[in-house]
Amino acid sequence: MISSIIDQNTVDRLRSLINGVHRIVITCHKSPDGDALGSTLALCHVLRRLGKEAYVVTPDMAPKALEFIPGVRDIAVFTKHEARVRHYLEQAELLFCLDFNAMHRIDRLGELIEPLKIKRVLIDHHLDPDDVFDVKISVPEASSTCELVFRVFMQMGLLRFMDRHAASCLYVGLLTDTGGFAYSCDNPEFYEIMASVMRRNFDRITLYNKAMNTFSADSLRLQGYAMSEKMKLFPQHGASLIVLSKEELERFNYSRGDTETLVNKPLAIPEIYWSVFLREDVDRIKVSCRSQGDFSVSDICAKYFNGGGHQNAAGGDFMGTLAEAEALFYKVLGDLFPDIPVNETLTPSQEQQEQTP
Ligand code: 5GP
Ligand code: MN
């Protein structure tokens, strides 16, 4: 039995909002991931089946690796199709904000949305959402926004409109936001939702392989390099750090998404329960963190790296040099574990260099 966790009042308000409009825009956070794209596209598809004119607009491009999600190519991308995005927003009578909790997570698209006099609906699973939404469905315990979109369909009696196309989109978010059913999916209802999605008979194995097991040769080589040469381990702190500079990324023809799952890898080592990845971007250092158990990386990202996220998967932006970001990581180690001296274990090539007289 899948319980109705969304307050009935909220569901009723959402139903009457949807009933009262025709044109609907749905958006999600910048650098959209499988959950952001899957949830927006599934909702868009079902709203269209309800007879609405619905569009997905995103702040920036989806990574190439996620182009397989049904409907991605029809998305209006602000950095690429600005006129179309403006047009959709001018015409919109209702706005859905999916998989983000604060307007700054949608970059310049936020400035366009701010003055709009239309109702805003939040469906999200990040902590501490902004107070700018008229209807707020915010459930940090949920595995993914796709789970919440499913629950909205269920509680609104819309599941009969969830066809294989919508189900494929939801599957991608349920899969990727749990790291392939590895974390954030301890609630048995998660699998009941999966079962209901699976009954729509899409090609699950192909989607799984495209979402979880598809990398370019460059990406695989970059990940191999990062693992063998750049992973610093701090077993006494349970920590791992990977730092990649722009120059290193360029050496492997980096394109967005190539390092997507890299930060998870060090957690395979039994002593390591939190992992930090610093990637030098054009104008900032992108910070990405993962952890296991009660250790909260969202607290670390909020306190030190202008970010946030979930307890076990969080991120942020550092405005400064890569060296400064790395120094800040060492400060975090010192702050969290003042009594443990910092003794990183060396990578194989560093060990070799040390042994060479
Ligand atoms: P990733 O490491 O995959 O980029 O991000 C993991 C999670 O961290 C995301 O789902 C999101 O919740 C959060 N996150 C990533 N980057 C940022 C950021 O710059 N700001 C905030 N507030 N959260 C972020
Ligand atoms: Mn998500």
Side-chain angles (χ1 to χ4, degrees):
M1 212 4 221
I2 304 169
S3 47
S4 297
I5 62 166
I6 305 167
D7 168 66
Q8 194 53 44
N9 237 329
T10 305
V11 175
D12 292 342
R13 270 169 54 223
L14 183 55
R15 183 181 295 109
S16 85
L17 277 181
I18 293 175
N19 284 343
V21 300
H22 181 59
R23 294 198 189 88
I24 301 175
V25 167
I26 307 160
T27 191
C28 63
H29 60 78
K30 66 184 171 189
S31 306
D33 58 7
D35 189 35
L37 294 167
S39 59
T40 52
L41 289 166
L43 178 61
C44 183
H45 188 70
V46 166
L47 289 173
R48 283 181 182 175
R49 291 202 60 194
L50 273 175
K52 306 294 174 184
E53 195 178 321
Y55 300 102
V56 174
V57 311
T58 56
D60 56 1
M61 288 288 287
K64 267 208 138 11
L66 292 176
E67 278 176 3
F68 70 89
I69 304 175
V72 166
R73 289 198 179 83
D74 301 329
I75 290 176
V77 180
F78 180 67
T79 50
K80 208 174 160 203
H81 319 109
E82 185 171 335
R84 220 166 98 211
V85 170
R86 283 181 184 278
H87 175 73
Y88 290 157
L89 284 172
E90 276 159 19
Q91 305 274 313
E93 299 163 282
L94 180 63
L95 177 74
F96 278 89
C97 297
L98 266 54
D99 204 35
F100 67 96
N101 56 356
M103 280 298 172
H104 70 85
R105 292 277 285 140
I106 57 174
D107 268 1
R108 280 189 51 220
L109 190 54
E111 293 162 25
L112 238 66
I113 286 171
E114 209 100 42
L116 295 180
K117 301 250 173 314
I118 55 175
K119 297 275 193 252
R120 301 160 194 194
V121 180
L122 174 79
I123 306 178
D124 179 49
H125 67 135
H126 295 89
L127 295 164
D128 305 325
D130 271 359
D131 231 353
V132 297
F133 302 98
D134 301 283
V135 174
K136 200 145 79 172
I137 299 172
S138 164
V139 186
E141 304 77 38
S143 63
S144 53
T145 299
C146 280
E147 172 182 332
L148 293 174
V149 166
F150 175 94
R151 289 179 182 278
V152 167
F153 291 163
M154 183 188 83
Q155 288 192 236
M156 286 185 63
L158 298 178
L159 278 184
R160 65 185 184 285
F161 295 101
M162 185 183 74
D163 56 15
R164 60 194 293 179
H165 177 123
S168 307
C169 295
L170 291 181
Y171 174 73
V172 173
L174 292 164
L175 177 67
T176 56
D177 250 31
T178 58
F181 313 135
Y183 46 80
S184 311
C185 52
D186 281 340
N187 182 351
E189 290 193 5
F190 175 87
Y191 300 92
E192 294 181 57
I193 291 170
M194 266 300 297
S196 171
V197 167
M198 291 282 304
R199 286 200 185 91
R200 267 59 182 185
N201 265 335
F202 53 89
D203 184 354
R204 187 193 68 79
I205 292 178
T206 300
L207 279 184
Y208 180 94
N209 281 327
K210 286 188 172 164
M212 303 300 289
N213 273 338
T214 304
F215 298 98
S216 68
D218 281 328
S219 163
L220 279 185
R221 289 188 204 285
L222 174 59
Q223 292 184 57
Y225 167 74
M227 289 287 90
S228 100
E229 301 299 321
K230 302 303 306 265
M231 181 174 67
K232 290 183 179 170
L233 299 175
F234 307 86
Q236 287 173 303
H237 305 79
S240 161
L241 174 68
I242 298 173
V243 179
L244 289 175
S245 69
K246 245 189 301 193
E247 183 277 318
E248 288 169 314
L249 295 164
E250 278 161 15
R251 215 189 304 159
F252 291 90
N253 295 316
Y254 173 81
S255 83
R256 210 143 55 78
D258 278 357
T259 52
E260 188 70 35
T261 55
L262 188 60
V263 64
N264 292 300
K265 299 281 196 287
L267 297 180
I269 304 164
E271 297 79 22
I272 305 302
Y273 56 85
W274 61 293
S275 163
V276 177
F277 170 39
L278 304 176
R279 177 173 57 79
E280 189 178 13
D281 212 333
V282 188
D283 58 347
R284 69 192 66 191
I285 308 302
K286 189 64 210 165
V287 182
S288 195
C289 297
R290 297 291 183 274
S291 68
Q292 281 164 345
D294 295 337
F295 190 90
S296 170
V297 279
S298 73
D299 289 350
I300 292 177
C301 286
K303 185 164 175 204
Y304 296 92
F305 294 109
N306 304 307
H310 316 283
Q311 177 160 304
N312 296 138
D317 291 323
F318 179 80
M319 298 303 175
T321 67
L322 199 53
E324 286 163 353
E326 190 165 353
L328 187 52
F329 167 81
Y330 284 93
K331 176 169 162 38
V332 176
L333 284 188
D335 287 356
L336 293 182
F337 307 92
D339 303 327
I340 304 178
V342 175
N343 260 330
E344 77 204 44
T345 55
L346 300 175
T347 62
S349 62
Q350 284 170 329
E351 264 172 16
Q352 253 173 16
Q353 278 166 19
E354 295 240 323
Q355 281 157 14
T356 318

